[in-house]
Amino acid sequence: MIQLSTELLSHRVAKVTGGAPSKLSKIPVVRKAIARKKYKPLDLRRKKTSAMRKALSTKDANRKTRRKSERGLSTYKGNTPLNLKISNWKAA
């Protein structure tokens, strides 16, 4: 993959500098080769259901916006005597 990328880069440099036409014609070939390596064939991918494939990952689903996280910080109820008394009362 890295080798193909460097080859593509050299062909693009040749295009800008006015290189040989043979190098210019290889650009689409190299791009297709990169695309073939980049993706798995459909029959080797995980099937699941369409809803599961389209759903957010757990990491993305649990992310919070900046505003939401800041609001959470401002409403923190630390271990004040009243909170401790209530939590001890509920546990008993």
Side-chain angles (χ1 to χ4, degrees), residues 77-89:
K77 299 178 181 70
N79 289 335
T80 60
L82 182 63
N83 288 343
L84 289 173
K85 187 175 181 182
I86 292 171
S87 63
N88 289 339
W89 178 70

Side-chain angles (χ1 to χ4, degrees), residues 18-67:
S22 62
K23 280 198 171 187
L24 299 182
S25 63
K26 284 186 181 178
I27 292 176
V29 177
V30 176
R31 287 183 66 225
K32 292 222 180 206
I34 290 172
R36 281 190 197 100
K37 290 197 173 215
K38 196 172 186 180
Y39 300 108
K40 281 187 180 178
L42 287 172
D43 56 336
L44 294 178
R45 294 183 191 171
R46 292 194 182 127
K47 303 299 183 278
K48 298 189 179 180
T49 62
S50 60
M52 286 173 73
R53 287 194 306 266
K54 291 172 187 171
L56 287 173
S57 65
T58 51
K59 182 181 176 184
D60 289 335
N62 291 331
R63 289 179 74 185
K64 290 184 179 179
T65 60
R66 185 175 176 185
R67 182 177 182 191

